Amino acid sequence: MPSAVRSTAPTRFAYLGPEGTFAEAALRILVAALGTAAPAEGEDRPAASIPAALESVRAGECAAALVPLENSVEGSVPATMDGLVDGAPLVVTREVFLEVGFVLAVRPGVALADVRTVASHPHALAQTRGRLAGLLPGADVLPTSSTADAARRVAAGEHDAAVCAAIAAERYGLTALATDLADHPGAVTRFVLVERPGALPPSTGADKTTVTAVVPDRTGALLDLLTEFAVRGISLTRIESRPTRERLGVYSFSIDCEGHVADARVGDALAALHRLSAEVRFLGSYPRADALAGKPVAERVGDAAFADAQAWLARVREGAAG
C-alpha cells in the first residue's frame, strides 16, 4: 500500500520499458481485449525494470503493471516470479500471450562486419544464440534490462547492435540487418497484469489460479502437496521451484492450476495447501488467455459433490443419522 495519500490519480498501467518492448505490444493487445480505450498520453508508464514496474503498483503510483512471466522456449522470468513473492501482496488479474520475433538492429550505415557488441534482454539472447553465433561469431554479447533498452542504447552509440522487436528498431531509428532471428520461430511469451489485492475477476469457467507454496524440508512434502490437487481432479498447467534464499534445500514452488478459487474444489485444495505448507501466497484467479475450459471435471469432485458432502457433514455434526 502507498505510504502516503496521493494528490493525483494513479497512472493506469506500468510495463517493462522503455518504449518499444514486447511488454508494450502485449499491453496494447490486452487493452483491446478488455474493450477499453487505448491509454492516453500519461496513462501508461514504461518502467526501467520488472521490480520497478511491480513497486509502482505497490506504491499506488500505477493501478496495474504488465510484466513477462514465462516464455515457451526459455521458461520462467525469475525477476517476475521473485517480485510477486517478495514484498507486499500483489495478484494477477489477467494474462496475455504474445508471439515474439526478433531483428538484429543497428544504426543506419553500420554493416555486419562493423558489429563488435550485441545487446539484449537475456531471454532474447538465449532465443537467438544460434543465429547470432552464425552471423557474428566474434561479437561480445551483453545483457540489458529489456530488448527495447538495448535498441535505445544502440541508438545512443553505447553498443553496435541490438536483438529487439521490429517496433523497437523503428522507434529508435535503427535498421534491421537480419530478421526472423529466433532459433525457434513461433516462441510465445506469457505476460501477466498485476494489481494490488481487491475484488477478484469473476469465474468464467475457463480460468487459471496461481499460488506459491514453501514446502517443508521433509520426506514426501512435495508429493503431499501435489496429491491435494490430484484427488480433486485439478490439473496443473505449470509448477517450478525457486530458492527461498533462507538455506539450501528449502524451496518455494510456483504453481498454476486450472480453475478459480471460487470453485469449491480449487478453494478446498488451496485450504489444504495452507495446512500442509510452511507458507502460501495466493497470486490470483483470472481468465485464461487461451479461453480453454480445461479438463472435464469428474462428478465426484464437482462443486455439487462438495456441497452435498458439506451438507452431509453438517447433519452428522448436528446429531442426525449419517
PDB file of all heavy atoms in Angstrom, residues 49-83:
ATOM      1  N   SER A  49      12.664  -1.575 -15.032  1.00  0.00           N
ATOM      2  CA  SER A  49      12.889  -2.987 -14.744  1.00  0.00           C
ATOM      3  C   SER A  49      11.586  -3.606 -14.264  1.00  0.00           C
ATOM      4  O   SER A  49      10.619  -2.896 -13.943  1.00  0.00           O
ATOM      5  CB  SER A  49      13.971  -3.157 -13.666  1.00  0.00           C
ATOM      6  OG  SER A  49      13.523  -2.598 -12.438  1.00  0.00           O
ATOM      7  N   ILE A  50      11.558  -4.922 -14.189  1.00  0.00           N
ATOM      8  CA  ILE A  50      10.371  -5.605 -13.664  1.00  0.00           C
ATOM      9  C   ILE A  50      10.132  -5.242 -12.203  1.00  0.00           C
ATOM     10  O   ILE A  50       9.000  -4.903 -11.832  1.00  0.00           O
ATOM     11  CB  ILE A  50      10.512  -7.124 -13.858  1.00  0.00           C
ATOM     12  CG1 ILE A  50      10.404  -7.465 -15.345  1.00  0.00           C
ATOM     13  CG2 ILE A  50       9.457  -7.880 -13.057  1.00  0.00           C
ATOM     14  CD1 ILE A  50      10.727  -8.907 -15.677  1.00  0.00           C
ATOM     15  N   PRO A  51      11.142  -5.269 -11.336  1.00  0.00           N
ATOM     16  CA  PRO A  51      10.897  -4.847  -9.954  1.00  0.00           C
ATOM     17  C   PRO A  51      10.356  -3.419  -9.853  1.00  0.00           C
ATOM     18  O   PRO A  51       9.475  -3.133  -9.032  1.00  0.00           O
ATOM     19  CB  PRO A  51      12.275  -4.957  -9.292  1.00  0.00           C
ATOM     20  CG  PRO A  51      12.966  -6.018 -10.081  1.00  0.00           C
ATOM     21  CD  PRO A  51      12.510  -5.822 -11.500  1.00  0.00           C
ATOM     22  N   ALA A  52      10.843  -2.523 -10.705  1.00  0.00           N
ATOM     23  CA  ALA A  52      10.356  -1.139 -10.680  1.00  0.00           C
ATOM     24  C   ALA A  52       8.892  -1.071 -11.086  1.00  0.00           C
ATOM     25  O   ALA A  52       8.107  -0.308 -10.504  1.00  0.00           O
ATOM     26  CB  ALA A  52      11.206  -0.268 -11.597  1.00  0.00           C
ATOM     27  N   ALA A  53       8.487  -1.867 -12.077  1.00  0.00           N
ATOM     28  CA  ALA A  53       7.089  -1.890 -12.502  1.00  0.00           C
ATOM     29  C   ALA A  53       6.197  -2.394 -11.374  1.00  0.00           C
ATOM     30  O   ALA A  53       5.128  -1.829 -11.106  1.00  0.00           O
ATOM     31  CB  ALA A  53       6.931  -2.772 -13.738  1.00  0.00           C
ATOM     32  N   LEU A  54       6.627  -3.459 -10.687  1.00  0.00           N
ATOM     33  CA  LEU A  54       5.830  -4.015  -9.596  1.00  0.00           C
ATOM     34  C   LEU A  54       5.759  -3.049  -8.416  1.00  0.00           C
ATOM     35  O   LEU A  54       4.700  -2.888  -7.785  1.00  0.00           O
ATOM     36  CB  LEU A  54       6.415  -5.358  -9.159  1.00  0.00           C
ATOM     37  CG  LEU A  54       6.411  -6.473 -10.213  1.00  0.00           C
ATOM     38  CD1 LEU A  54       7.076  -7.729  -9.657  1.00  0.00           C
ATOM     39  CD2 LEU A  54       4.995  -6.772 -10.681  1.00  0.00           C
ATOM     40  N   GLU A  55       6.865  -2.396  -8.115  1.00  0.00           N
ATOM     41  CA  GLU A  55       6.870  -1.473  -6.986  1.00  0.00           C
ATOM     42  C   GLU A  55       5.998  -0.247  -7.254  1.00  0.00           C
ATOM     43  O   GLU A  55       5.443   0.340  -6.319  1.00  0.00           O
ATOM     44  CB  GLU A  55       8.296  -1.042  -6.655  1.00  0.00           C
ATOM     45  CG  GLU A  55       9.100  -2.125  -5.947  1.00  0.00           C
ATOM     46  CD  GLU A  55       8.390  -2.675  -4.717  1.00  0.00           C
ATOM     47  OE1 GLU A  55       7.900  -1.867  -3.907  1.00  0.00           O
ATOM     48  OE2 GLU A  55       8.298  -3.908  -4.595  1.00  0.00           O
ATOM     49  N   SER A  56       5.854   0.142  -8.515  1.00  0.00           N
ATOM     50  CA  SER A  56       4.981   1.278  -8.820  1.00  0.00           C
ATOM     51  C   SER A  56       3.534   0.952  -8.500  1.00  0.00           C
ATOM     52  O   SER A  56       2.751   1.839  -8.147  1.00  0.00           O
ATOM     53  CB  SER A  56       5.131   1.668 -10.298  1.00  0.00           C
ATOM     54  OG  SER A  56       4.547   0.699 -11.158  1.00  0.00           O
ATOM     55  N   VAL A  57       3.170  -0.317  -8.594  1.00  0.00           N
ATOM     56  CA  VAL A  57       1.817  -0.738  -8.213  1.00  0.00           C
ATOM     57  C   VAL A  57       1.692  -0.783  -6.692  1.00  0.00           C
ATOM     58  O   VAL A  57       0.711  -0.297  -6.124  1.00  0.00           O
ATOM     59  CB  VAL A  57       1.486  -2.115  -8.827  1.00  0.00           C
ATOM     60  CG1 VAL A  57       0.086  -2.570  -8.413  1.00  0.00           C
ATOM     61  CG2 VAL A  57       1.581  -2.055 -10.347  1.00  0.00           C
ATOM     62  N   ARG A  58       2.681  -1.351  -6.035  1.00  0.00           N
ATOM     63  CA  ARG A  58       2.642  -1.421  -4.569  1.00  0.00           C
ATOM     64  C   ARG A  58       2.565  -0.024  -3.956  1.00  0.00           C
ATOM     65  O   ARG A  58       1.896   0.184  -2.941  1.00  0.00           O
ATOM     66  CB  ARG A  58       3.882  -2.137  -4.043  1.00  0.00           C
ATOM     67  CG  ARG A  58       3.902  -3.634  -4.327  1.00  0.00           C
ATOM     68  CD  ARG A  58       5.053  -4.317  -3.602  1.00  0.00           C
ATOM     69  NE  ARG A  58       4.937  -5.766  -3.674  1.00  0.00           N
ATOM     70  CZ  ARG A  58       5.664  -6.545  -4.474  1.00  0.00           C
ATOM     71  NH1 ARG A  58       6.585  -5.977  -5.271  1.00  0.00           N
ATOM     72  NH2 ARG A  58       5.503  -7.847  -4.496  1.00  0.00           N
ATOM     73  N   ALA A  59       3.234   0.945  -4.585  1.00  0.00           N
ATOM     74  CA  ALA A  59       3.262   2.311  -4.056  1.00  0.00           C
ATOM     75  C   ALA A  59       2.013   3.106  -4.411  1.00  0.00           C
ATOM     76  O   ALA A  59       1.852   4.237  -3.959  1.00  0.00           O
ATOM     77  CB  ALA A  59       4.501   3.034  -4.566  1.00  0.00           C
ATOM     78  N   GLY A  60       1.145   2.546  -5.229  1.00  0.00           N
ATOM     79  CA  GLY A  60      -0.058   3.262  -5.634  1.00  0.00           C
ATOM     80  C   GLY A  60       0.167   4.258  -6.752  1.00  0.00           C
ATOM     81  O   GLY A  60      -0.732   5.029  -7.078  1.00  0.00           O
ATOM     82  N   GLU A  61       1.363   4.228  -7.365  1.00  0.00           N
ATOM     83  CA  GLU A  61       1.646   5.153  -8.463  1.00  0.00           C
ATOM     84  C   GLU A  61       0.980   4.699  -9.759  1.00  0.00           C
ATOM     85  O   GLU A  61       0.674   5.515 -10.622  1.00  0.00           O
ATOM     86  CB  GLU A  61       3.160   5.254  -8.664  1.00  0.00           C
ATOM     87  CG  GLU A  61       3.887   5.828  -7.455  1.00  0.00           C
ATOM     88  CD  GLU A  61       5.389   5.648  -7.564  1.00  0.00           C
ATOM     89  OE1 GLU A  61       5.828   5.001  -8.553  1.00  0.00           O
ATOM     90  OE2 GLU A  61       6.121   6.117  -6.674  1.00  0.00           O
ATOM     91  N   CYS A  62       0.795   3.393  -9.907  1.00  0.00           N
ATOM     92  CA  CYS A  62       0.127   2.814 -11.076  1.00  0.00           C
ATOM     93  C   CYS A  62      -0.957   1.856 -10.603  1.00  0.00           C
ATOM     94  O   CYS A  62      -0.794   1.178  -9.577  1.00  0.00           O
ATOM     95  CB  CYS A  62       1.117   2.068 -11.962  1.00  0.00           C
ATOM     96  SG  CYS A  62       2.382   3.127 -12.697  1.00  0.00           S
ATOM     97  N   ALA A  63      -2.030   1.790 -11.349  1.00  0.00           N
ATOM     98  CA  ALA A  63      -3.112   0.893 -10.973  1.00  0.00           C
ATOM     99  C   ALA A  63      -2.756  -0.563 -11.240  1.00  0.00           C
ATOM    100  O   ALA A  63      -3.206  -1.472 -10.534  1.00  0.00           O
ATOM    101  CB  ALA A  63      -4.388   1.269 -11.731  1.00  0.00           C
ATOM    102  N   ALA A  64      -1.947  -0.813 -12.262  1.00  0.00           N
ATOM    103  CA  ALA A  64      -1.575  -2.178 -12.627  1.00  0.00           C
ATOM    104  C   ALA A  64      -0.284  -2.153 -13.418  1.00  0.00           C
ATOM    105  O   ALA A  64       0.106  -1.115 -13.966  1.00  0.00           O
ATOM    106  CB  ALA A  64      -2.686  -2.833 -13.454  1.00  0.00           C
ATOM    107  N   ALA A  65       0.380  -3.312 -13.470  1.00  0.00           N
ATOM    108  CA  ALA A  65       1.620  -3.441 -14.242  1.00  0.00           C
ATOM    109  C   ALA A  65       1.553  -4.697 -15.086  1.00  0.00           C
ATOM    110  O   ALA A  65       1.072  -5.742 -14.625  1.00  0.00           O
ATOM    111  CB  ALA A  65       2.832  -3.498 -13.319  1.00  0.00           C
ATOM    112  N   LEU A  66       2.030  -4.602 -16.323  1.00  0.00           N
ATOM    113  CA  LEU A  66       2.103  -5.759 -17.210  1.00  0.00           C
ATOM    114  C   LEU A  66       3.562  -6.178 -17.316  1.00  0.00           C
ATOM    115  O   LEU A  66       4.407  -5.387 -17.756  1.00  0.00           O
ATOM    116  CB  LEU A  66       1.547  -5.435 -18.594  1.00  0.00           C
ATOM    117  CG  LEU A  66       1.360  -6.673 -19.476  1.00  0.00           C
ATOM    118  CD1 LEU A  66       0.125  -7.450 -19.034  1.00  0.00           C
ATOM    119  CD2 LEU A  66       1.227  -6.298 -20.938  1.00  0.00           C
ATOM    120  N   VAL A  67       3.849  -7.423 -16.913  1.00  0.00           N
ATOM    121  CA  VAL A  67       5.231  -7.912 -16.877  1.00  0.00           C
ATOM    122  C   VAL A  67       5.281  -9.329 -17.452  1.00  0.00           C
ATOM    123  O   VAL A  67       4.298 -10.066 -17.395  1.00  0.00           O
ATOM    124  CB  VAL A  67       5.790  -7.913 -15.441  1.00  0.00           C
ATOM    125  CG1 VAL A  67       5.988  -6.492 -14.924  1.00  0.00           C
ATOM    126  CG2 VAL A  67       4.871  -8.694 -14.495  1.00  0.00           C
ATOM    127  N   PRO A  68       6.420  -9.727 -18.021  1.00  0.00           N
ATOM    128  CA  PRO A  68       6.547 -11.088 -18.560  1.00  0.00           C
ATOM    129  C   PRO A  68       6.723 -12.102 -17.434  1.00  0.00           C
ATOM    130  O   PRO A  68       7.459 -11.863 -16.474  1.00  0.00           O
ATOM    131  CB  PRO A  68       7.795 -11.001 -19.429  1.00  0.00           C
ATOM    132  CG  PRO A  68       8.620  -9.919 -18.792  1.00  0.00           C
ATOM    133  CD  PRO A  68       7.637  -8.926 -18.255  1.00  0.00           C
ATOM    134  N   LEU A  69       6.044 -13.250 -17.564  1.00  0.00           N
ATOM    135  CA  LEU A  69       6.153 -14.303 -16.556  1.00  0.00           C
ATOM    136  C   LEU A  69       6.910 -15.521 -17.072  1.00  0.00           C
ATOM    137  O   LEU A  69       7.708 -16.112 -16.346  1.00  0.00           O
ATOM    138  CB  LEU A  69       4.766 -14.727 -16.071  1.00  0.00           C
ATOM    139  CG  LEU A  69       4.739 -15.817 -15.003  1.00  0.00           C
ATOM    140  CD1 LEU A  69       5.414 -15.325 -13.717  1.00  0.00           C
ATOM    141  CD2 LEU A  69       3.305 -16.251 -14.703  1.00  0.00           C
ATOM    142  N   GLU A  70       6.662 -15.911 -18.325  1.00  0.00           N
ATOM    143  CA  GLU A  70       7.361 -17.078 -18.855  1.00  0.00           C
ATOM    144  C   GLU A  70       7.378 -17.031 -20.374  1.00  0.00           C
ATOM    145  O   GLU A  70       6.573 -16.344 -21.002  1.00  0.00           O
ATOM    146  CB  GLU A  70       6.713 -18.378 -18.382  1.00  0.00           C
ATOM    147  CG  GLU A  70       5.274 -18.552 -18.811  1.00  0.00           C
ATOM    148  CD  GLU A  70       4.712 -19.914 -18.421  1.00  0.00           C
ATOM    149  OE1 GLU A  70       5.476 -20.915 -18.439  1.00  0.00           O
ATOM    150  OE2 GLU A  70       3.514 -19.992 -18.109  1.00  0.00           O
ATOM    151  N   ASN A  71       8.318 -17.785 -20.926  1.00  0.00           N
ATOM    152  CA  ASN A  71       8.476 -17.881 -22.380  1.00  0.00           C
ATOM    153  C   ASN A  71       8.469 -19.352 -22.770  1.00  0.00           C
ATOM    154  O   ASN A  71       8.988 -20.201 -22.034  1.00  0.00           O
ATOM    155  CB  ASN A  71       9.776 -17.208 -22.811  1.00  0.00           C
ATOM    156  CG  ASN A  71      10.048 -17.358 -24.287  1.00  0.00           C
ATOM    157  OD1 ASN A  71      10.731 -18.288 -24.708  1.00  0.00           O
ATOM    158  ND2 ASN A  71       9.494 -16.455 -25.092  1.00  0.00           N
ATOM    159  N   SER A  72       7.885 -19.658 -23.929  1.00  0.00           N
ATOM    160  CA  SER A  72       7.735 -21.048 -24.348  1.00  0.00           C
ATOM    161  C   SER A  72       9.069 -21.718 -24.655  1.00  0.00           C
ATOM    162  O   SER A  72       9.148 -22.949 -24.696  1.00  0.00           O
ATOM    163  CB  SER A  72       6.823 -21.130 -25.579  1.00  0.00           C
ATOM    164  OG  SER A  72       7.365 -20.402 -26.669  1.00  0.00           O
ATOM    165  N   VAL A  73      10.131 -20.935 -24.873  1.00  0.00           N
ATOM    166  CA  VAL A  73      11.443 -21.500 -25.157  1.00  0.00           C
ATOM    167  C   VAL A  73      12.346 -21.458 -23.934  1.00  0.00           C
ATOM    168  O   VAL A  73      12.988 -22.448 -23.574  1.00  0.00           O
ATOM    169  CB  VAL A  73      12.120 -20.751 -26.329  1.00  0.00           C
ATOM    170  CG1 VAL A  73      13.542 -21.254 -26.545  1.00  0.00           C
ATOM    171  CG2 VAL A  73      11.301 -20.934 -27.606  1.00  0.00           C
ATOM    172  N   GLU A  74      12.391 -20.319 -23.252  1.00  0.00           N
ATOM    173  CA  GLU A  74      13.354 -20.119 -22.172  1.00  0.00           C
ATOM    174  C   GLU A  74      12.777 -20.302 -20.772  1.00  0.00           C
ATOM    175  O   GLU A  74      13.497 -20.215 -19.794  1.00  0.00           O
ATOM    176  CB  GLU A  74      13.970 -18.726 -22.290  1.00  0.00           C
ATOM    177  CG  GLU A  74      14.978 -18.614 -23.413  1.00  0.00           C
ATOM    178  CD  GLU A  74      16.104 -19.617 -23.286  1.00  0.00           C
ATOM    179  OE1 GLU A  74      16.746 -19.677 -22.227  1.00  0.00           O
ATOM    180  OE2 GLU A  74      16.324 -20.361 -24.251  1.00  0.00           O
ATOM    181  N   GLY A  75      11.466 -20.553 -20.669  1.00  0.00           N
ATOM    182  CA  GLY A  75      10.892 -20.800 -19.353  1.00  0.00           C
ATOM    183  C   GLY A  75      10.567 -19.532 -18.602  1.00  0.00           C
ATOM    184  O   GLY A  75      10.291 -18.487 -19.181  1.00  0.00           O
ATOM    185  N   SER A  76      10.602 -19.613 -17.283  1.00  0.00           N
ATOM    186  CA  SER A  76      10.124 -18.531 -16.429  1.00  0.00           C
ATOM    187  C   SER A  76      11.072 -17.341 -16.416  1.00  0.00           C
ATOM    188  O   SER A  76      12.254 -17.450 -16.754  1.00  0.00           O
ATOM    189  CB  SER A  76       9.934 -19.041 -15.002  1.00  0.00           C
ATOM    190  OG  SER A  76      11.179 -19.428 -14.458  1.00  0.00           O
ATOM    191  N   VAL A  77      10.519 -16.196 -16.010  1.00  0.00           N
ATOM    192  CA  VAL A  77      11.293 -14.967 -15.835  1.00  0.00           C
ATOM    193  C   VAL A  77      11.516 -14.788 -14.332  1.00  0.00           C
ATOM    194  O   VAL A  77      10.596 -14.411 -13.600  1.00  0.00           O
ATOM    195  CB  VAL A  77      10.547 -13.755 -16.423  1.00  0.00           C
ATOM    196  CG1 VAL A  77      11.363 -12.482 -16.236  1.00  0.00           C
ATOM    197  CG2 VAL A  77      10.240 -13.984 -17.899  1.00  0.00           C
ATOM    198  N   PRO A  78      12.709 -15.069 -13.828  1.00  0.00           N
ATOM    199  CA  PRO A  78      12.946 -15.049 -12.381  1.00  0.00           C
ATOM    200  C   PRO A  78      12.591 -13.727 -11.716  1.00  0.00           C
ATOM    201  O   PRO A  78      12.074 -13.721 -10.593  1.00  0.00           O
ATOM    202  CB  PRO A  78      14.448 -15.348 -12.266  1.00  0.00           C
ATOM    203  CG  PRO A  78      14.762 -16.140 -13.491  1.00  0.00           C
ATOM    204  CD  PRO A  78      13.901 -15.546 -14.571  1.00  0.00           C
ATOM    205  N   ALA A  79      12.850 -12.604 -12.376  1.00  0.00           N
ATOM    206  CA  ALA A  79      12.566 -11.306 -11.759  1.00  0.00           C
ATOM    207  C   ALA A  79      11.085 -11.150 -11.455  1.00  0.00           C
ATOM    208  O   ALA A  79      10.706 -10.548 -10.435  1.00  0.00           O
ATOM    209  CB  ALA A  79      13.042 -10.174 -12.667  1.00  0.00           C
ATOM    210  N   THR A  80      10.228 -11.682 -12.318  1.00  0.00           N
ATOM    211  CA  THR A  80       8.786 -11.601 -12.076  1.00  0.00           C
ATOM    212  C   THR A  80       8.372 -12.581 -10.995  1.00  0.00           C
ATOM    213  O   THR A  80       7.604 -12.235 -10.079  1.00  0.00           O
ATOM    214  CB  THR A  80       8.002 -11.881 -13.370  1.00  0.00           C
ATOM    215  OG1 THR A  80       8.333 -10.888 -14.341  1.00  0.00           O
ATOM    216  CG2 THR A  80       6.506 -11.851 -13.119  1.00  0.00           C
ATOM    217  N   MET A  81       8.855 -13.811 -11.070  1.00  0.00           N
ATOM    218  CA  MET A  81       8.490 -14.812 -10.063  1.00  0.00           C
ATOM    219  C   MET A  81       8.898 -14.364  -8.662  1.00  0.00           C
ATOM    220  O   MET A  81       8.118 -14.439  -7.716  1.00  0.00           O
ATOM    221  CB  MET A  81       9.143 -16.146 -10.409  1.00  0.00           C
ATOM    222  CG  MET A  81       8.605 -16.780 -11.678  1.00  0.00           C
ATOM    223  SD  MET A  81       9.369 -18.389 -12.021  1.00  0.00           S
ATOM    224  CE  MET A  81       8.790 -19.336 -10.622  1.00  0.00           C
ATOM    225  N   ASP A  82      10.117 -13.868  -8.531  1.00  0.00           N
ATOM    226  CA  ASP A  82      10.586 -13.411  -7.221  1.00  0.00           C
ATOM    227  C   ASP A  82       9.868 -12.130  -6.802  1.00  0.00           C
ATOM    228  O   ASP A  82       9.555 -11.939  -5.621  1.00  0.00           O
ATOM    229  CB  ASP A  82      12.091 -13.172  -7.257  1.00  0.00           C
ATOM    230  CG  ASP A  82      12.889 -14.457  -7.447  1.00  0.00           C
ATOM    231  OD1 ASP A  82      12.316 -15.545  -7.219  1.00  0.00           O
ATOM    232  OD2 ASP A  82      14.069 -14.371  -7.835  1.00  0.00           O
ATOM    233  N   GLY A  83       9.596 -11.241  -7.759  1.00  0.00           N
ATOM    234  CA  GLY A  83       8.938  -9.982  -7.425  1.00  0.00           C
ATOM    235  C   GLY A  83       7.519 -10.159  -6.936  1.00  0.00           C
ATOM    236  O   GLY A  83       7.023  -9.345  -6.153  1.00  0.00           O
TER     237      GLY A  83
END
